Amino acid sequence: MKRIILSITILLLQIHAVSLHAQSIAKNYKADNNNNPISASVFCADPTALDYNGRLYVYGSNDHQQFIKNNKKDGNGYGDIKSLVVLSTDDMVNWTFHGTIDVQKICSKWTGNPWYKGFMNSWAPSVTWRTTEDGKEEFFLYFANTSHGVGVLKADSPVGPWTSPLNHSMINRDTPGVLPCSWIFDPGVVIDENGTGWISFGGGDPNEKGNTLQPNNALFAKLDASMTALDGKPARIPAPYHFEASELNIMNGKFVYTYCSSWAERKDAEWNAYKQEQNIKIGKPNTCTMCYMVSDDPMNPDSWEYKGVCGKHPGFPSPNNHSHLHKFQGNYYYLYHWAPLMKSMQDGKAIDSSCDGYRSICVNMATVDEETQKISSVNQNLTGVTAIKNLNPYDLQQAETTANSGGVMYEDYKNIEKDTKINTLGNDASRNLQVAMKPGAWTMVRNADFGEEGAQSFKFTAQGTGTLEIRLDKKTAEPAATIDFFSTSMEEHDTNIDPTPFKGVHDVYFVFTAAEKVQFDAWQFSAEQTTGIQQVVPTQSSDSKLYDLSGRRINNNTSKGIVIEQTTDVNGKKQSRKIIR
């Protein structure tokens, strides 16, 4: 009976698939050959990053939360952004979406009296991590609690679960030495070679002690040993035309402070006087540009030297500017936000024309001289960066790892498990995300290296009824493999494939030409044949192995975060699932 039902279902799917194949598959709003923005389905901004175990983790303001709250129209007022987005990569072009950190829920017990100590919003994060003397790994995530303060979260892995170590904002109006400061927000954090934490913050129009050239709102402070409080009063950084978007780096023993300049008019007379006073020959920065300063004695305001512009304003339709400079695998990368995805979706009539200010994170290479701390102005473009390595299709890969996609939006990412005590979308960075695939929807990964022999079988984990076509190099290409599947629960499906097209390096498109209640979770190619489409029957498992999200074997039991657990049942069948440790 099951075989009859499956045969009928597949026949119906094939009829639907033929009909759909004659139509256009879902349109992509990130161009085929572009690597910017890093996500084709998530609006996010104000990037920060850390690298851990060979992966670069990027965190940002969750613009998509405001987008959904506004019913996918109108302007981004930021008032409903109460969570942060997490993505990661190990090759700089294929990005894994880890879900969101629900900062509002985590900080729900913050005191609301006085008002500026209670939780309001989570914007513009900055992140760092350390290993303590006893070998414990600690991750710290700082964020702007609107313009009224800075909050801090803590975790023992880059994807959480996150907790609030305090019952109020870490920095606020009551923090000694902070006032006057127009906006107490936009933290930038770094840990020096001695293990000491430092934080910069502040912004806004000139306060009562400032002026257009020197708004007096850029603050710098030492963190105490807990990393959750200031160690003494902050100092002021004399940052010309300072406005917002603080971040910190350390190069060759010196502190590098980046910030976004204001929209204020630049007067030649005041800038010429500043140049003469500072004994520099640098031209004045354009409005809303990313500037940087350097110091080897950061608590001494006179030690800071203005060095120029490291990134221009990316241009329309971005309403503002925010960047993070990060060294990863020997290269410097400049992460920033722009709004090309929103504009492309508007032009394609996919979202309302009233939409405004929904940003996307982008990344381009940066040229940095660490010895002199010189940062050349970055060339921001949609082409983005090139991959630093190929993707291994023979490792287990997550469906939420994509370089591009069509017909997939942020709210289509769902969870296998709803246990909010662990991690779920809308609560914390998720351990078991999956992607809802509609008819015509697709995802794509770049630079999958199948080798000279080629793949002979393919398996994927999914539930629902559908037809999956695997297409190579173009989303409109003829399918290199077609798999019909049916399951009422999340199961692995195996099938043999012709190895001829699956040789060498290819961009791989997973196109669901038919889909009914389909949730796509993971996939993996193999150089060995299988016996055909199979449904997983729960059996006693043994021989448990752990892998990271790149498919690399984890041999120690101290690894934290999302990992892949692979087991072999009594019949020799391998099964995989994502877990958090």
Side-chain angles (χ1 to χ4, degrees):
M1 182 60 69
K2 287 184 178 179
R3 287 197 295 270
I4 293 172
I5 293 173
L6 181 59
S7 298
I8 295 172
T9 303
I10 290 175
L11 178 61
L12 292 173
L13 283 169
Q14 289 172 337
I15 294 172
H16 287 299
V18 170
S19 174
L20 184 65
H21 194 72
Q23 306 171 16
S24 297
I25 63 173
K27 183 177 180 179
N28 53 299
Y29 296 97
K30 173 181 176 179
D32 290 334
N33 296 322
N34 288 345
N35 286 320
N36 277 331
I38 65 174
S39 174
S41 59
V42 181
F43 291 126
C44 49
D46 307 320
T48 187
L50 63 82
D51 53 281
Y52 178 72
N53 281 355
R55 294 191 71 83
L56 182 69
Y57 290 83
V58 174
Y59 307 75
S61 302
N62 189 2
D63 278 21
H64 217 99
Q65 186 173 22
Q66 185 74 62
F67 177 67
I68 299 301
K69 186 72 174 182
N70 287 357
N71 295 316
K72 305 182 182 181
K73 59 184 180 180
D74 300 331
N76 184 0
Y78 315 125
D80 288 299
I81 298 177
K82 301 178 185 294
S83 58
L84 300 169
V85 169
V86 189
L87 301 104
S88 76
T89 184
D90 65 352
D91 62 14
M92 297 306 297
V93 297
N94 296 300
W95 292 85
T96 301
F97 176 53
H98 295 290
T100 61
I101 303 171
D102 189 344
V103 185
Q104 182 178 34
K105 182 172 182 178
I106 297 168
C107 302
S108 61
K109 294 183 179 180
W110 278 16
T111 177
N113 185 21
W115 56 269
Y116 51 82
K117 289 188 176 181
F119 175 79
M120 288 171 281
N121 289 99
S122 53
W123 305 335
S126 187
V127 68
T128 191
W129 70 283
R130 68 181 180 184
T131 301
T132 62
E133 291 182 357
D134 60 1
K136 181 181 179 182
E137 293 176 343
E138 296 179 324
F139 296 78
F140 298 91
L141 185 60
Y142 304 82
F143 63 92
N145 187 29
T146 68
S147 61
H148 306 309
V150 172
V152 59
L153 305 179
K154 187 177 179 180
D156 60 5
S157 90
V159 291
W162 296 91
T163 61
S164 174
L166 306 174
N167 63 358
H168 54 76
S169 56
M170 186 185 84
I171 305 173
N172 52 56
R173 297 172 61 87
D174 290 340
T175 305
V178 167
L179 296 179
C181 181
S182 299
W183 297 344
I184 307 169
F185 79 155
D186 282 15
V189 66
V190 71
I191 296 176
D192 67 21
E193 59 189 11
N194 298 316
T196 302
W198 302 87
I199 191 168
S200 57
F201 60 96
D205 294 327
N207 62 45
E208 60 265 34
K209 294 185 178 181
N211 54 54
T212 300
L213 178 63
Q214 291 291 349
N216 196 44
N217 290 317
L219 288 88
F220 185 92
K222 182 180 179 182
L223 291 167
D224 71 9
S226 72
M227 297 285 290
T228 62
L230 301 190
D231 184 3
K233 293 183 180 180
R236 305 270 163 172
I237 301 176
Y241 301 114
H242 174 267
F243 190 64
E244 59 183 347
S246 298
E247 272 286 25
L248 288 173
N249 288 85
I250 294 178
M251 299 179 193
N252 196 26
K254 292 189 177 183
F255 288 80
V256 179
Y257 171 64
T258 58
Y259 66 94
C260 181
S261 67
S262 69
W263 297 92
E265 179 186 1
R266 274 67 160 147
K267 297 179 179 179
D268 289 338
E270 67 180 9
W271 185 254
N272 289 334
Y274 175 78
K275 287 200 302 180
Q276 184 174 359
E277 175 188 315
Q278 299 295 317
N279 192 27
I280 60 174
K281 298 180 180 180
I282 302 169
K284 60 181 181 292
N286 289 332
T287 58
C288 203
T289 53
M290 296 305 303
C291 305
Y292 72 109
M293 302 184 75
V294 174
S295 170
D296 56 5
D297 185 15
M299 295 301 290
N300 176 9
D302 294 335
S303 71
W304 287 96
E305 179 184 356
Y306 178 76
K307 303 285 278 188
V309 172
C310 56
K312 65 181 185 301
H313 181 261
F316 179 80
S318 286
N320 45 35
N321 204 354
H322 197 120
S323 71
H324 172 73
L325 185 69
H326 201 94
K327 188 177 183 180
F328 178 64
Q329 301 294 323
N331 298 312
Y332 272 98
Y333 295 95
Y334 180 83
L335 294 117
Y336 60 101
H337 67 229
W338 197 359
L341 182 64
M342 181 197 73
K343 181 65 167 56
S344 179
M345 294 178 72
Q346 282 180 320
D347 292 345
K349 311 298 182 183
I351 61 175
D352 195 85
S353 60
S354 66
C355 286
D356 183 51
Y358 297 107
R359 303 159 295 179
S360 296
I361 292 176
C362 301
V363 59
N364 284 96
M365 293 287 294
T367 301
V368 177
D369 186 329
E370 291 182 332
E371 185 174 348
T372 63
Q373 300 84 47
K374 177 177 174 54
I375 308 170
S376 300
S377 186
V378 175
N379 179 26
Q380 297 149 290
N381 56 55
L382 292 178
T383 303
V385 300
T386 57
I388 59 176
K389 68 174 188 177
N390 290 333
L391 181 142
N392 187 350
Y394 302 115
D395 287 338
L396 184 66
Q397 303 289 342
Q398 305 309 305
E400 354 28 300
T401 298
T402 64
N404 206 346
S405 63
V408 174
M409 286 297 289
Y410 169 75
E411 62 271 25
D412 292 331
Y413 288 86
K414 304 297 181 185
N415 278 281
I416 298 171
E417 298 182 19
K418 302 294 184 181
D419 185 357
T420 56
K421 293 180 181 178
I422 307 173
N423 282 335
T424 61
L425 183 64
N427 174 40
D428 216 352
S430 298
R431 71 170 186 169
N432 266 339
L433 281 175
Q434 53 188 322
V435 186
M437 304 302 292
K438 302 170 184 176
W442 54 273
T443 63
M444 181 268 277
V445 294
R446 291 202 192 281
N447 306 318
D449 188 352
F450 292 95
E452 296 180 359
E453 299 299 323
Q456 299 204 46
S457 64
F458 173 75
K459 71 175 181 180
F460 65 104
T461 307
Q463 69 178 13
T465 304
T467 298
L468 168 61
E469 291 187 358
I470 303 175
R471 305 181 183 184
L472 303 179
D473 301 319
K474 293 183 179 180
K475 62 179 179 294
T476 55
E478 288 299 314
T482 301
I483 306 103
D484 299 306
F485 64 96
F486 167 77
S487 60
T488 57
S489 60
M490 190 60 64
E491 298 174 355
E492 284 186 357
H493 306 275
D494 291 359
T495 186
N496 291 326
I497 56 177
D498 178 3
T500 304
F502 293 99
K503 296 179 180 181
V505 179
H506 298 278
D507 294 343
V508 181
Y509 291 80
F510 302 100
V511 183
F512 287 79
T513 54
E516 182 179 353
K517 297 182 179 179
V518 170
Q519 299 286 339
F520 184 30
D521 180 56
W523 58 268
Q524 184 176 22
F525 287 88
S526 174
E528 300 177 356
Q529 287 196 341
T530 184
T531 56
I533 296 178
Q534 300 176 0
Q535 293 186 2
V536 173
V537 178
T539 57
Q540 183 177 358
S541 298
S542 61
D543 191 26
S544 176
K545 295 182 176 65
L546 297 178
Y547 300 85
D548 66 16
L549 290 179
S550 298
R552 294 174 300 190
R553 179 75 182 275
I554 299 172
N555 293 316
N556 66 74
N557 293 323
T558 61
S559 296
K560 301 292 184 180
I562 298 174
V563 299
I564 300 165
E565 181 185 54
Q566 189 173 83
T567 57
T568 304
D569 64 25
V570 294
N571 298 317
K573 176 73 174 178
K574 291 184 177 181
Q575 302 181 48
S576 303
R577 64 171 183 153
K578 284 171 283 184
I579 62 173
I580 191 164
R581 306 178 75 230

